[in-house]
Amino acid sequence: MTAFELVVIVLSVVISLAFTHLLTGIAQMIRARKVKFSIIHAAWIGQMLFTCVDYWLSLWAVRDTEVWSLGYLAFWLAVATSVYLACWLVIPSTSDIRDGIDLQAYHRDNRRRYLGAYAFYYLLGGAINLTIPGMESAALLAFGLVAVLGAAWLWPDRRVQLAVIVVNCAAFTWYGMHYIAVL
């Protein structure tokens, strides 16, 4: 087993847990009797799902790394942890879902938690991208998206929330066309 294979297994466990939590939360909301839907909240869940897949695919960019220092592994683990936290925070608790949940109110009351964790992911992810040859523009995009997320964190206005989601989706589309397509 190579060092890369071992690292991918360790990091995939964290991202798999995040992905599983998202899917479980979605399934619970579908099954729940009383859920008031929110397009904004659903879009953030969708972003988190894509982020998990993107993280897995991003690992491929470092497949040729022969030596993984403990510090570099810890850095990648910190990024995975921030993804996990954002994914955990975007999904309401099981009891809240079971009792009936207004996802618009959930977003209004909890957006700062999960958007804060998501912004931290962008900061760390941007820093990681600076360590990968050819990913420097992806780092700039990540750092720019921190500011965009800051707007959604600061202002609860629906138009601001929708605009941030549109910008985030457009940025992910550009990112996917330039980086994921070349795998």
Side-chain angles (χ1 to χ4, degrees):
M1 176 178 288
T2 66
F4 173 72
E5 291 167 342
L6 179 63
V7 166
V8 167
I9 290 169
V10 170
L11 297 175
S12 290
V13 168
V14 177
I15 296 301
S16 295
L17 289 170
F19 196 74
T20 300
H21 182 72
L22 291 170
L23 295 178
T24 301
I26 292 167
Q28 288 173 339
M29 286 184 265
I30 291 169
R31 182 184 290 170
R33 291 189 177 112
K34 197 173 179 184
V35 174
K36 184 174 179 185
F37 183 75
S38 166
I39 190 70
I40 293 171
H41 188 256
W44 284 118
I45 291 173
Q47 289 288 302
M48 302 295 175
L49 285 166
F50 179 80
T51 298
C52 290
V53 173
D54 171 59
Y55 184 91
W56 273 316
L57 295 175
S58 295
L59 287 168
W60 187 250
V62 292
R63 67 190 176 279
D64 294 329
T65 302
E66 293 181 22
V67 177
W68 283 80
S69 70
L70 183 57
Y72 196 51
L73 174 59
F75 199 17
W76 276 90
L77 190 55
V79 176
T81 301
S82 65
V83 170
Y84 177 84
L85 290 173
C87 290
W88 185 265
L89 293 168
V90 77
I91 298 294
S93 71
T94 301
S95 62
D96 286 344
I97 294 170
R98 191 178 323 114
D99 296 340
I101 185 118
D102 177 347
L103 294 174
Q104 293 171 356
Y106 182 82
H107 173 72
R108 183 190 64 240
D109 297 340
N110 294 282
R111 77 181 193 289
R112 287 186 167 187
R113 290 183 180 125
Y114 57 82
L115 293 180
Y118 203 44
F120 190 62
Y121 155 73
Y122 276 142
L123 283 173
L124 293 177
I128 282 279
N129 285 337
L130 290 174
T131 70
I132 304 169
M135 295 289 288
E136 295 81 9
S137 59
L140 293 174
L141 178 66
F143 295 143
L145 287 173
V146 171
V148 172
L149 282 176
W153 190 87
L154 284 171
W155 294 292
D157 182 83
R158 182 174 171 78
R159 291 169 296 185
V160 172
Q161 299 296 313
L162 288 170
V164 169
I165 288 167
V166 168
V167 169
N168 209 47
C169 287
F172 262 133
T173 301
W174 179 87
Y175 173 86
M177 290 176 12
H178 285 85
Y179 292 105
I180 296 174
V182 296
L183 293 177

